[in-house]
Amino acid sequence: MSDAYIIDAVRTPRGVGKPGKGALSHLHPQQLAATVLKAIKDRNKLDTATVDDIIWSTSTQEGKQGGDLGRMSALAAGYDITASGTTLDRFCGGGITSVNLAAASVMSGMEDCVIAGGTEMMSYQQILAAERANAKMAPRLMGSGNEQLDAVHPQSHQGVCGDAIATIEGISREAVDALALVSQQRAKKAIDEGRFAKSVVPVLNADGSVALDREEFPRPETTAEGLASLKPSFEQLADFEINGTTFKKQIQRRYPNLEWKGVHHAGNSSGVVDGAAAVLITSKDYADKHGLKPRARIVAYANQGDDPTLMLNAPVPAAKKVLAKAGLKKEDIDVWEINEAFAVVAEKFIRDLDLDREKVNINGGSIALGHPIGATGSILIGTALDELERSGGRYGLVTMCAAGGMAPAIIIERL
């Protein structure tokens, strides 16, 4: 089996995901993806006629985000027409999966140069939701939409699931707020020290002016007192009735005696943002032939499923699985990136694996920086690589929860 190498990783800054308010919200999703694809091409003097495939992740593949964003964005970025492209959906985990599949293509020896990545415009998702409401479309069914499947595996809203997990695990409001505060503090330090500068590329408007060249979402003024004053976001939603049931009842079908109080709110949940990221992956022969210097080697990857009713618990078994595949121990990992979909996800991850908190989400996470669903995994891989290079660490592990009770994971080695 051949090795797969990461040559480069780039991303856009993340813009606030509100229509008409975020700095990127007026752009077409293809423009965001084309921005990072063009940057990968230009930074590495890439002959795009030699690109075997582009594997892209986008979760909401509707309207402007539909129609194979990977292929169309490559064309928009000026890639040779021979550079093929495809688009996948593993909900929040797609940005890791796109990299894993690219690595698998290279490791198999079938392809030599693949670009992976993802795009999500959360602002556009809100426009789609408004269009559905205006058309008086019925609210989406909870779960899969398949009555037989949902009878076996009832599925709820991810925020309600986060609160349920916190109750089951005995994780307090104070604990999740403390993690959220650290996320903001670390993100501020990372931004102030320019730790993201190597990977972040500006997004331009059609006229060449700058749409956004910095992170738009962080709230560095966040305090413990401010977080404590916020009301839980999902308690009322938990009891919202659709088609004769509620999100809370969906969970209680599997956990009948579970009662809980909400601990998650806007300050300790992932931010709603727009963004895109790309990762260039090649074989050693390709890198040598084209004068490219690999920055990291992909050591192992894994996929893991868990209880879809609680939805958010797969990262821990995914991390254990990928460590086993790599023949590594948790002590070997210098940089851990666990997506802060909700604070309880990262808090449980740290507790269950008994990790050194100073090695986890070193530069903040999605609570502070935002979570553009299909792109986040690719962003985190680039963030882990940058931090390994900054700190001199060797191994980084990246994982994240995804809807349906899943988690992809990857381990990279700095070269």
Side-chain angles (χ1 to χ4, degrees):
M1 186 174 67
S2 302
D3 280 328
Y5 293 99
I6 296 178
I7 305 299
D8 202 6
V10 301
R11 67 175 178 88
T12 68
R14 282 163 275 195
V16 171
K18 294 183 178 180
K21 295 183 179 179
L24 302 176
S25 63
H26 64 290
L27 299 175
H28 195 288
Q30 289 176 15
Q31 289 177 258
L32 285 193
T35 294
V36 291
L37 286 169
K38 187 175 186 302
I40 281 283
K41 171 173 68 77
D42 293 346
R43 283 165 50 132
N44 299 283
K45 298 180 174 59
L46 192 64
D47 176 1
T48 58
T50 67
V51 175
D52 292 307
D53 205 5
I54 295 149
I55 303 178
W56 217 246
S57 162
T58 303
S59 186
T60 300
Q61 294 183 32
E62 299 178 49
K64 293 179 181 180
Q65 288 200 161
D68 192 353
L69 204 58
R71 169 63 170 174
M72 300 308 159
S73 300
L75 295 175
Y79 276 46
D80 192 276
I81 59 172
T82 59
S84 184
T86 190
T87 302
L88 60 86
D89 176 17
R90 198 195 288 272
F91 304 112
C92 296
I96 294 178
T97 295
S98 66
V99 174
N100 290 350
L101 292 178
S105 297
V106 172
M107 289 175 174
S108 71
M110 292 295 101
E111 294 179 319
D112 290 297
C113 178
V114 184
I115 301 173
T119 303
E120 203 81 43
M121 293 196 70
M122 306 293 282
S123 58
Y124 182 61
Q125 290 187 18
Q126 293 184 44
I127 291 172
L128 290 173
E131 289 175 350
R132 294 188 195 102
N134 290 336
K136 297 183 179 180
M137 294 172 65
R140 225 173 119 187
L141 289 171
M142 289 170 286
S144 69
N146 180 319
E147 291 183 7
Q148 289 181 321
L149 176 59
D150 292 338
V152 179
H153 295 294
Q155 298 176 52
S156 185
H157 182 280
Q158 56 266 39
V160 180
C161 291
D163 286 345
I165 292 167
T167 300
I168 292 169
E169 298 292 330
I171 296 174
S172 67
R173 166 70 183 264
E174 290 74 19
V176 290
D177 279 357
L179 187 143
L181 182 59
V182 169
S183 183
Q184 293 286 354
Q185 292 170 338
R186 290 181 176 178
K188 180 182 186 305
K189 183 177 183 180
I191 292 168
D192 290 346
E193 294 182 1
R195 296 186 186 182
F196 300 140
K198 188 172 186 177
S199 293
V200 174
V201 295
V203 181
L204 305 181
N205 293 308
D207 62 5
S209 62
V210 175
L212 187 64
D213 59 2
R214 59 176 178 79
E215 300 292 346
E216 191 177 31
F217 188 79
R219 297 178 177 87
E221 71 281 1
T222 299
T223 64
E225 294 76 18
L227 290 171
S229 70
L230 296 175
K231 294 182 179 180
S233 298
F234 304 108
E235 286 187 326
Q236 186 174 355
L237 180 63
D239 292 316
F240 182 71
E241 185 170 316
I242 302 176
N243 300 323
T245 188
T246 67
F247 291 121
K248 181 184 289 186
K249 288 178 180 178
Q250 290 289 83
I251 293 176
Q252 289 173 327
R253 285 167 58 192
R254 285 286 307 279
Y255 301 87
N257 299 317
L258 181 63
E259 290 289 345
W260 68 92
K261 183 177 181 181
V263 299
H264 289 98
H265 49 75
N268 59 28
S269 304
S270 56
V272 176
V273 297
D274 301 330
V279 182
L280 174 59
I281 298 166
T282 77
S283 65
K284 185 179 186 301
D285 287 346
Y286 182 96
D288 290 345
K289 181 178 179 180
H290 293 86
L292 299 172
K293 184 179 180 181
R295 296 172 60 190
R297 179 177 70 93
I298 295 174
V299 179
Y301 68 83
N303 297 296
Q304 183 70 47
D306 201 86
D307 181 6
T309 299
L310 292 179
M311 192 184 299
L312 312 176
N313 281 341
V316 170
K320 292 178 179 179
K321 185 175 182 179
V322 77
L323 283 168
K325 284 181 175 291
L328 297 172
K329 299 178 181 179
K330 68 178 184 180
E331 291 79 13
D332 296 318
I333 305 300
D334 301 295
V335 173
W336 298 80
E337 287 287 339
I338 168 68
N339 187 42
E340 296 170 353
F342 300 91
V344 74
V345 177
E347 182 65 23
K348 184 179 187 302
F349 188 81
I350 292 168
R351 293 186 185 194
D352 285 4
L353 295 174
D354 191 22
L355 300 180
D356 178 354
R357 290 178 182 267
E358 296 304 312
K359 293 184 177 182
V360 182
N361 296 356
I362 296 168
N363 297 307
S366 290
I367 289 172
L369 295 159
H371 175 27
I373 306 294
T376 302
S378 299
I379 291 174
L380 296 184
I381 291 168
T383 299
L385 175 55
D386 285 345
E387 179 56 28
L388 288 171
E389 291 177 338
R390 186 192 72 83
S391 64
R394 183 176 180 182
Y395 292 112
L397 189 154
V398 183
T399 187
M400 60 200 306
C401 60
M406 299 183 290
I410 185 172
I411 293 175
I412 64 173
E413 178 185 17
R414 178 183 65 86
L415 299 177

